[in-house]
Amino acid sequence: MIQSKNILIVLLLLFISCKTEKASKKEAKEQSEVQTEIVYDFDKTILLNHVKELSSDAYEGRETGTQGATKAKNYIISEFKKLNVQPLGNDFGQVFPLKEMQGENILGLIKGSEKPTEYIVISAHYDHEGIKNGDIYNGADDDASGISALIAFAAYFQKNPPKHSVILAAFDAEEKGLVGSFYYVKNPIVEQTQLKLNINMDMISRSDKKELYAVGPQHYPQYTSIIENTKTSGDLSLKIGHKEWTHMSDHAGFHQAKIPFIYFGVEDHEDYHKPTDDFENIHPIFYTNAVQTILTFFKDVDNSSL
Ligand SMILES: [Zn+2]
């Protein structure tokens, strides 16, 4: 008797597991069908390849002042050049002192078609934690995801020139205390008064809850309705929240100089500042939806008066 019961249980379990497998396959198929319907203003594969490249072991975790950081710097500059991004200063690099060494911001310019003397600074940081105890901290989410979005925007602007001038800022030494961005705000190359808004992206590539947060409207309420009316992509939800992140990334220097900012980021995850923040652990669909949502926000802002 017991034996026939066991067989029944096994059969039941088998039935349930193939049911759930079928269901998850169906969901994945539906999701990819939905994804294919969404219009992206950039090439998703190229975007993901940038993250994969910059977060590969060859970049040794991109710690400021290391060969890995120099390799990342050269990669970003070569992508900017391919996309006809101009250097903001004499060249793309802005060297700044950092204790016994130096860091280097990368600053690109796309001249605005209608308001060329009003600048929107779109930023991310290319440095990360480097190598510790033999472990490489690849920083796929933190912040290869933001830097790759920056390059995707450059590709978009090549075909769709913005009305405002755009400064594409790949900051260095964020992990050392926001050093590169604070230096830039004090040495903006253009007049500081011409800097109208900072859009900062730091960790935008994964969220189990599919939530992308915007910080800034809490201080600059003129952006609340633009954020709330931003058309999001896919099943991502865009939320205003986490005011406590106001000083947690490169937007802090702009805020201190009373330049409005909108910071986009996700809540911390189990791989935050761990050697496991690898490309394999990002959420590609959420990420592409996040980048498209931020670009949509930019377009809405660019069409408004700042
Ligand atoms: Zn970061």
Side-chain angles (χ1 to χ4, degrees):
M1 186 60 198
I2 294 181
Q3 209 184 10
S4 60
K5 255 194 192 158
N6 287 349
I7 294 170
L8 268 177
I9 292 169
V10 170
L11 285 174
L12 194 62
L13 287 174
L14 268 176
F15 176 71
I16 292 168
S17 69
C18 75
K19 265 267 185 222
T20 40
E21 196 187 325
K22 250 202 206 126
S24 56
K25 271 204 185 117
K26 188 162 166 281
E27 195 192 322
K29 187 166 170 289
E30 277 164 9
Q31 217 185 14
S32 65
E33 273 157 13
V34 171
Q35 288 308 121
T36 48
E37 278 151 28
I38 298 170
V39 179
Y40 292 93
D41 288 318
F42 50 86
D43 184 308
K44 292 183 287 179
T45 312
I46 293 176
L47 174 74
L48 291 166
N49 284 343
H50 289 315
V51 182
K52 192 172 185 180
E53 173 69 20
L54 286 165
S55 63
S56 63
D57 289 354
Y59 292 76
E60 302 174 331
R62 311 183 306 274
E63 184 177 7
T64 299
T66 67
Q67 279 182 342
T70 303
K71 192 175 166 63
K73 182 192 78 175
N74 294 337
Y75 180 85
I76 297 163
I77 290 175
S78 78
E79 291 300 318
F80 277 2
K81 283 181 176 168
K82 276 187 227 162
L83 296 165
N84 296 323
V85 176
Q86 302 306 308
L88 179 63
N90 297 332
D91 57 30
F92 286 100
Q94 180 188 50
V95 173
F96 58 87
L98 179 65
K99 296 188 188 119
E100 66 286 350
M101 58 175 181
Q102 64 184 26
E104 187 166 0
N105 294 325
I106 303 162
L107 305 167
L109 170 67
I110 293 154
K111 206 83 184 154
S113 58
E114 291 178 20
K115 301 171 183 173
T117 59
E118 294 186 17
Y119 295 83
I120 298 173
V121 181
I122 307 179
S123 63
H125 69 91
Y126 72 90
D127 68 302
H128 193 52
E129 299 282 311
I131 301 174
K132 293 180 193 166
N133 310 319
D135 287 323
I136 302 180
Y137 287 61
N138 284 313
D141 187 40
D142 188 7
D143 189 25
S145 65
I147 290 291
S148 302
L150 216 54
I151 300 171
F153 291 174
Y156 171 78
F157 292 139
Q158 197 185 20
K159 298 190 188 86
N160 310 275
K163 292 177 179 160
H164 296 82
S165 286
V166 170
I167 295 169
L168 297 173
F171 289 127
D172 194 2
E174 189 272 352
E175 305 288 5
K176 305 283 183 194
L178 316 180
V179 184
S181 52
F182 267 87
Y183 181 86
Y184 172 71
V185 171
K186 290 197 176 71
N187 306 275
I189 300 176
V190 297
E191 293 302 318
Q192 197 186 75
T193 51
Q194 295 176 304
L195 304 182
K196 299 303 179 188
L197 174 67
N198 168 230
I199 298 174
N200 187 38
M201 305 174 287
D202 192 353
M203 298 175 57
I204 56 170
S205 68
R206 48 185 293 177
S207 169
D208 294 333
K209 295 188 273 181
K210 300 178 180 161
E211 294 173 339
L212 180 67
Y213 279 90
V215 183
Q218 299 95 330
H219 305 284
Y220 306 99
Q222 68 268 37
Y223 288 100
T224 303
S225 62
I226 301 184
I227 290 279
E228 286 171 348
N229 297 321
T230 293
K231 185 178 169 307
T232 56
S233 287
D235 53 2
L236 171 151
S237 58
L238 177 59
K239 298 185 170 185
I240 296 174
H242 289 294
K243 190 178 179 184
E244 76 279 6
W245 294 347
T246 295
H247 302 282
M248 303 282 275
S249 182
D250 290 318
H251 47 277
F254 293 87
H255 182 54
Q256 196 182 69
K258 299 197 173 15
I259 299 164
F261 76 89
I262 301 292
Y263 161 56
F264 291 100
V266 298
E267 290 178 332
D268 287 0
H269 44 75
E270 67 271 18
D271 298 315
Y272 173 67
H273 278 209
K274 298 246 176 52
T276 46
D277 178 6
D278 287 320
F279 178 72
E280 292 69 35
N281 296 326
I282 74 166
H283 301 165
I285 291 176
F286 171 83
Y287 176 47
T288 47
N289 287 332
V291 173
Q292 183 57 47
T293 300
I294 297 168
L295 184 52
T296 302
F297 166 76
F298 171 86
K299 290 194 265 184
D300 295 346
V301 165
D302 193 38
N303 289 320
S304 69
S305 57
L306 300 181

